Amino acid sequence: MEPEIRNVERRERRRRRFPALIGLGVVVLVAATWVGLFNFLGVNSAFGTVETVSAEYLCDTSAYSLEFPNISTLSSVRTADGEELGQLTERNSIPVALSDTPDIVIAALLSAEDKAFYDHEGIDFSAITRAAIGRATGNPSGGGSTITQQVVKQNFLTDDYSIERKICEAVIAAELERLYDKDQILEFWANSVFFGSNAYGISAASHEYFGKDLDELSIAQAALLPVPIRNPTFYHPRFNPDNAIAARNRTIDRMVVNGYILPGEAAAAKAEPLEIVDQQRVESLSPQVMIAVRQELLRSNRYGLGETYAERKRAVFGCPAAVTDCDGGGGLTIDITLDNDLQQEANRILRAWFQTGLGGPTGAIATVDNTTGAIRVLASGLEYGTDIEAGQRPYDLASQGTRQPGSAFKPFTLAAALESGDRAGNPVTLGSYWDDSSPAVIECDSPCSGDGNLWTVHNAGGASGKGLRTLESATYNSTNTVYARLVDAIGAEPVVDMAHRLGITSPLQPFPSITLGAVGVSPLEMSAAYSTLANFGERVEPYLIQRVTSGDGVVIYEHDIEPRQVLSNQIAAAVVGAMEKVVSRGTAQRANIDRPQAGKTGTATDSRDVWFVGFVPQLTTSVWVGYADSQLPLEEFTVWNDVEEKEQFYRRAYGGTLAAPIWKQFMTYATAQMPPIDFPEDPSGTSVYRQTPFATVPFTADTLRDTIDNLYAVGLEGVIEEVPSTRPSGSLMGMIPLPGTKVRQGSDVIVKVSSGVAPAIEMIDLRGLSQAEATVRLEGFQEFIGQPITWSFSEVTVSNPAAIGTVISTTPEHGTPIDANRSIVVRIGVAP
C-alpha cells in the first residue's frame, strides 16, 4: 500500500477553497450533530430547520498554537547509570517517521480509524452524518471523527461536549489541513495517540503488545494495534481478549474492502491467535519520570533554555514542522539523577507485593542521595497512564501523591521541641519525662476536632493509667499521647516552621494534630526532610536534572549543590540518635538491615496510610502504602510477601508491619554495594539535649487528682501514701519533697493523704525526764493525737542518787497502746 501524497498544487486549491468549505461544513456538522446527538436547539420537529452559526464567531483559530514537534530533533533523557529512558515528546511516545512505518501498519490504521483520510479535507461529512443518524436511530455505525479531528481533540481542545466545541473542532481540523500535509498529520497522530497500557504511539504499542519492531508484525498483529484506541479498557488485548479479537477481525475485513489485502490473506490473519506477550514491566517503569523531566524543563528558566515557556518548549522539542525559517532547538541530552537499576528494583518490589489480582492497596518509594540531594528513585506500585480501570494512574504517587504520614512526622516535632523548649521557657530534652497515660485530652486555642476545642488522643494500645516516659522512649515507642502533650507545650507553629526548614514543601497549618501527621505530604518530601536530619541539619535540595547538553556537545546547564545549615548539628544528632533506637528496639525492628540506620514508622488514623521513612548515612528512602484514590482503612487484605514468597493476610496494617519490611527489602538491595559507615560522632554540646532537666515540685491542688495531674505535667511521678488521720479519707496531708523543691524529672514525689482512720496511740517514753519536763511532753502528746488524756504523778523510792527527781516508769509502759481518756501514772524517783 502506498498512501497518496498531496502535491503543492492540490494544497493551494484546498487553501483557496477553505472559507467556502467552512461555511458548508458548519451547516452540515450542526445539522448532523443535532439529528444524532444534541437535540436541544429549540425546534419541535425531528426534521425541523437548523440555524447556521458563524464559524469565526464560535472559534478563533488564532487563539491556538497549532504546532507539532519535529520528530527529527527530539531530546533524549539518560539516567545516572547511563540508561536511556527515552526521548522527550509532547505525548511521551517513541516516535517513528512515517517513511519508516510499514505499509501494512498504515493500512491497518487507516482502515480502523479513517479510511478516507487521504481524500477528505480534515472533516469527513459522510462519516459524521452516518454516525449521527446511527446514534439517533439506535444503530451506531462507528465514530464520525477523522484522524485530523482526533489530533485536534487530543491536543488543542477540552473534553467539553458542546456544539460550540464540536464546531471549533471542525474549524481547527480544517486549519491543520491547511498548515500541514497529510503525511505530517498522520505521522504525528500515529506517534501520539494512546494505545492502552501506557503505550503512546504505534511503535510503543507494537513493543507493548508483541515485543516487536513494526517491520516484524504480521497482518493480524498490525490489525490489532489500532483496536484499543477507541476504548483502551473494553478492547484491551490482555484483559478483554474476546473484544479485541472481534475488533481486530473487523479491521481485517475493512482492509480487504479498502484493497490493502486479499481475502485469502484476511482469512489466514483472522485465524491467528492474539499471542500478546507478557507485559514488560521494565519498559513502563519510568514514564512518570519522563513527564516530570519534561514539566520541569518547561516550568523553570533555570536550565538555560529560555525565559518564556514558548522559548523553552522550542529548545526542548525543536522547531515546529510548519515553521520553515526556524533554526535550532531540540536534540538535547538531559542527564538525570535517577538510578535506573534501583528504579527497576523498586518498581519490581512494589508490584510484587501489591499485585492487581489481590485487590489490596499499592505503594510508593522515593529515594534521595543524602550528600547531593539527587533523586535516585521515584517508584510507584501502579502503572502510569490514563486507563484507571486497568489499574493505571495519570500521576506519580512518589512525588505527587500527598497522604498523611502519621507518626513519621514526630521527628519534626521532636526537633522543634529541642530547639525552642516549651512556651513557659523550660527546656525540653530527650531525657525529659512526660505523662504517657491514654487518652490525652488537649484543650486547643481554637476548634481543633469534632469536639470543638478539645482534642482527644489515644495510644495504639488503648486506655492506660498514669505513668511517665522519657521523650526518647516516647519517640522510639511512638507514644501518641506524649507527643500530643508535647505539641500542646511547645505550640504547633514551631513544628510547621521546622518541617518546612527541613524540606517539607506542602502547605501546613499550625493545628496540634500536625504532630501526628494529620497533613498531606508526598514520599519525596518526607525523604528530603529526613535527609536533612541524616546530614545533621544540613539541607540539600532534592533535584532530578543533573545536566543539559546541546546537540553539539555544549553543556548548557550543570546542577550546583548548595548545602545550607537549617538546624543545629547538635539537635539533629540528638534526633538521629533517638531515631536509631526506633529500628534497634522500637516500632521499626522489621526494617533492620544490620548497619547504622535510623528512621520512623508512621500510621495514619484508622491505618489509612502506613509509612516507614529511614536512612543510612548515604541514602534516605521513604515507603508509603495505601489506596491510590481514597483513604480507606488498611484492613482485611492480602499482599504477596516478596521476601517470604507467599501470600500474607493483614487484619490491620501498621507502618512497622508492612511499610518497614518493604523498606528493608529495597534498602538491602540499594546498599548491597555500599560499605557500611557510621553516622558522624556527636558534635560537642549534643549531650545537653539528652540530660534530664529539673522540675519544681508544684503546690498541692484542691483535689488529689489535680495534684497528681500537676505532678505528671512537670515530669514527676506522684506516689500516693496513706497516713493515719482522723481527717476525711483522701484528704491531702502534704508532699515529700516539699512544694517548691527542685528535683530531677522522673523523681518520685510522695503525696500523703489521710486514711480516714485514727492512728493507734502508743505511750511515749518519759524515762529520765524531770516532772516538769514530763508534763510538757504529755501536753504535746495530747495535742498531737488530738484526744484528751489525763495523768498523775506518784513517788517511788530509788537507791540510785542519779534517778532521784526523774521519771522511773509509767503505766501504761512506753510503746504500748493506750485508749482515749486513759489515765497515765508517772512515777518519780525519791530518796529512801
Side-chain angles (χ1 to χ4, degrees):
M1 186 278 298
E2 182 65 33
E4 177 186 356
I5 305 300
R6 306 288 178 168
N7 57 30
V8 175
E9 181 181 353
R10 177 60 183 270
R11 290 187 64 188
E12 287 300 318
R13 289 202 301 269
R14 276 198 356 239
R15 187 174 293 111
R16 290 193 297 270
R17 288 165 47 198
F18 179 74
L21 172 64
I22 289 299
L24 175 62
V26 169
V27 174
V28 175
L29 177 62
V30 172
T33 307
W34 173 79
V35 172
L37 296 174
F38 292 95
N39 196 25
F40 63 64
L41 295 182
V43 294
N44 296 322
S45 171
F47 299 98
T49 58
V50 180
E51 295 183 13
T52 59
V53 183
S54 166
E56 290 78 5
Y57 176 77
L58 288 173
C59 187
D60 179 10
T61 57
S62 65
Y64 299 90
S65 176
L66 307 181
E67 298 178 352
F68 298 157
N70 188 333
I71 64 171
S72 64
T73 57
L74 294 176
S75 300
S76 61
V77 178
R78 294 187 309 198
T79 63
D81 47 350
E83 295 291 330
E84 184 169 332
L85 282 186
Q87 293 179 310
L88 287 177
T89 78
E90 292 188 274
R91 280 293 181 177
N92 195 28
S93 62
I94 304 173
V96 58
L98 193 65
S99 59
D100 295 330
T101 304
D103 291 347
I104 195 64
V105 173
I106 296 175
L109 291 175
L110 295 178
S111 296
E113 291 296 314
D114 190 356
K115 70 174 183 179
F117 175 72
Y118 279 95
D119 296 319
H120 61 62
E121 308 288 350
I123 309 164
D124 189 341
F125 302 110
S126 61
I128 293 174
T129 303
R130 285 196 307 272
I133 294 174
R135 287 184 175 88
T137 60
N139 296 303
S141 58
S145 293
T146 66
I147 285 176
T148 310
Q149 287 175 280
Q150 291 183 45
V151 170
V152 172
K153 286 189 291 186
Q154 293 164 7
N155 296 276
F156 305 114
L157 295 179
T158 67
D159 291 331
D160 176 35
Y161 288 100
S162 68
I163 192 168
E164 290 86 355
R165 191 203 65 83
K166 199 67 177 175
I167 293 173
C168 202
E169 175 187 310
V171 173
I172 296 176
E175 178 67 4
L176 282 181
E177 293 266 341
R178 187 181 69 84
L179 292 173
Y180 299 96
D181 65 34
K182 286 289 188 177
D183 285 355
Q184 288 175 311
I185 295 172
L186 181 60
E187 181 177 286
F188 177 75
W189 172 81
N191 283 318
S192 63
V193 71
F194 182 54
F195 286 81
S197 284
N198 199 41
Y200 285 89
I202 192 69
S203 180
S206 180
H207 283 278
E208 173 64 27
Y209 295 124
F210 299 113
K212 296 180 177 180
D213 292 333
L214 291 174
D215 58 6
E216 299 176 303
L217 297 178
S218 66
I219 292 175
Q221 291 168 337
L224 183 280
L225 286 186
V227 164
I229 293 175
R230 292 297 174 94
N231 189 325
T233 300
F234 186 78
Y235 293 115
H236 199 289
R238 288 195 184 94
F239 307 128
N240 291 300
D242 292 341
N243 297 343
I245 289 176
R248 178 202 68 177
N249 291 345
R250 289 194 294 270
T251 299
I252 292 173
D253 289 338
R254 292 178 188 135
M255 292 172 71
V256 174
V257 172
N258 295 334
Y260 295 124
I261 60 176
L262 298 173
E265 293 174 314
K270 291 164 73 172
E272 284 188 23
L274 285 182
E275 295 183 336
I276 302 299
V277 299
D278 291 337
Q279 191 162 25
Q280 301 299 309
R281 292 292 184 185
V282 172
E283 292 184 10
S284 60
L285 279 175
S286 305
Q288 74 276 19
V289 176
M290 292 288 291
I291 290 175
V293 171
R294 183 169 66 248
Q295 290 175 342
E296 177 65 14
L297 290 173
L298 296 177
R299 179 188 63 84
S300 174
N301 62 1
R302 65 182 298 185
Y303 302 105
L305 302 178
E307 292 300 316
T308 67
Y309 180 87
E311 290 172 341
R312 296 190 289 269
K313 180 178 178 182
R314 181 161 295 179
V316 173
F317 298 124
C319 296
V323 181
T324 58
D325 59 350
C326 172
D327 182 27
L332 304 176
T333 298
I334 296 96
D335 289 295
I336 64 172
T337 60
L338 198 78
D339 186 307
N340 194 56
D341 178 55
L342 295 184
Q343 177 82 359
Q344 290 189 32
E345 179 62 11
N347 277 280
R348 189 202 65 77
I349 289 172
L350 289 172
R351 294 172 189 181
W353 278 79
F354 308 115
Q355 298 174 17
T356 304
L358 295 176
T362 186
I365 295 176
T367 300
V368 299
D369 185 292
N370 293 336
T371 302
T372 65
I375 299 170
R376 298 304 185 195
V377 172
L378 289 175
S380 170
L382 296 178
E383 183 182 346
Y384 186 89
T386 58
D387 193 345
I388 305 299
E389 293 184 26
Q392 299 176 344
R393 292 299 181 275
Y395 56 88
D396 175 37
L397 292 173
S399 62
Q400 297 173 306
T402 55
R403 293 303 178 86
Q404 293 190 4
S407 294
F409 231 67
K410 286 175 180 172
F412 308 149
T413 304
L414 176 59
L418 298 184
E419 182 179 74
S420 67
D422 67 21
R423 286 188 268 199
N426 300 310
V428 175
T429 69
L430 286 166
S432 59
Y433 280 80
W434 294 81
D435 180 1
D436 68 354
S437 61
S438 178
V441 180
I442 308 299
E443 186 173 351
C444 312
D445 296 332
S446 58
C448 55
S449 73
D451 297 325
N453 287 41
L454 294 179
W455 178 43
T456 303
V457 177
H458 297 267
N459 288 329
S464 63
K466 286 290 184 182
L468 286 180
R469 186 184 296 273
T470 65
L471 187 51
E472 182 178 57
S473 173
T475 300
Y476 62 74
N477 287 302
S478 203
T479 310
N480 291 339
T481 56
V482 168
Y483 268 85
R485 294 179 174 108
L486 177 61
V487 76
D488 184 47
I490 71 171
E493 290 82 0
V495 181
V496 171
D497 176 65
M498 181 60 65
H500 280 152
R501 281 159 52 191
L502 294 178
I504 298 299
T505 56
S506 292
L508 303 173
Q509 296 298 321
F511 298 132
S513 57
I514 191 175
T515 192
L516 302 183
V519 294
V521 294
S522 72
L524 178 58
E525 288 179 87
M526 291 297 289
S527 289
Y530 271 48
S531 178
T532 303
L533 293 174
N535 291 336
F536 279 22
E538 186 178 82
R539 175 175 173 177
V540 286
E541 296 298 328
Y543 70 99
L544 184 60
I545 297 175
Q546 180 69 50
R547 184 183 306 104
V548 179
T549 308
S550 68
D552 54 4
V554 176
V555 176
I556 301 172
Y557 168 83
E558 181 84 38
H559 179 78
D560 288 327
I561 302 169
E562 298 178 352
R564 53 195 176 97
Q565 198 75 28
V566 297
L567 176 67
S568 81
N569 52 8
Q570 293 90 350
I571 291 176
V575 173
V576 169
M579 295 172 70
E580 287 183 277
K581 294 180 180 179
V582 174
V583 178
S584 64
R585 66 180 73 172
T587 58
Q589 296 182 49
R590 290 179 177 88
N592 197 327
I593 57 174
D594 297 322
R595 62 164 60 205
Q597 66 183 107
K600 185 69 187 73
T601 54
T603 303
T605 303
D606 296 328
S607 292
R608 292 187 176 99
D609 302 284
V610 299
W611 298 68
F612 181 70
V613 188
F615 48 84
V616 297
Q618 301 98 317
L619 295 176
T620 297
T621 291
S622 61
V623 173
W624 163 83
V625 177
Y627 288 93
D629 301 317
S630 59
Q631 291 185 303
L632 299 174
L634 291 169
E635 298 175 340
E636 308 288 334
F637 65 94
T638 300
V639 300
W640 174 260
N641 187 320
D642 193 51
V643 177
E644 300 179 6
E645 297 185 340
K646 65 179 183 180
E647 289 188 357
Q648 181 171 342
F649 175 76
Y650 280 85
R651 191 168 303 281
R652 188 182 186 112
Y654 298 91
T657 62
L658 182 53
I662 294 173
W663 187 95
K664 177 179 181 178
Q665 183 182 11
F666 171 73
M667 285 296 282
T668 299
Y669 182 90
T671 60
Q673 304 303 317
M674 292 181 181
I677 60 175
D678 287 321
F679 291 105
E681 293 286 334
D682 285 348
S684 176
T686 302
S687 60
V688 70
Y689 296 104
R690 297 193 175 101
Q691 294 177 354
T692 299
F694 284 91
T696 300
V697 178
F699 286 88
T700 56
D702 293 336
T703 66
L704 174 62
R705 178 174 180 177
D706 288 345
T707 299
I708 296 297
D709 286 346
N710 290 345
L711 287 169
Y712 279 93
V714 295
L716 299 175
E717 185 89 39
V719 179
I720 300 173
E721 181 180 297
E722 283 190 334
V723 296
S725 172
T726 57
R727 296 179 64 181
S729 176
S731 297
L732 291 167
M733 303 293 289
M735 291 189 293
I736 299 175
L738 295 174
T741 305
K742 285 189 176 296
V743 295
R744 290 279 184 186
Q745 286 187 355
S747 300
D748 290 348
V749 174
I750 307 301
V751 181
K752 295 188 174 183
V753 298
S754 169
S755 67
V757 179
I761 303 173
E762 295 180 352
M763 181 59 198
I764 59 176
D765 188 0
L766 300 177
R767 290 175 301 175
L769 299 178
S770 67
Q771 181 171 339
E773 291 171 336
T775 299
V776 172
R777 287 289 302 275
L778 286 168
E779 289 173 347
F781 180 51
Q782 178 178 246
E783 182 178 355
F784 173 74
I785 65 176
Q787 299 182 41
I789 57 174
T790 60
W791 61 89
S792 62
F793 293 96
S794 64
E795 295 180 346
V796 59
T797 302
V798 294
S799 57
N800 183 4
I804 296 173
T806 65
V807 176
I808 302 301
S809 64
T810 60
T811 301
E813 294 182 358
H814 71 274
T816 60
I818 62 172
D819 300 327
N821 301 316
R822 174 73 181 269
S823 179
I824 300 171
V825 177
V826 182
R827 297 176 183 88
I828 302 295
V830 295

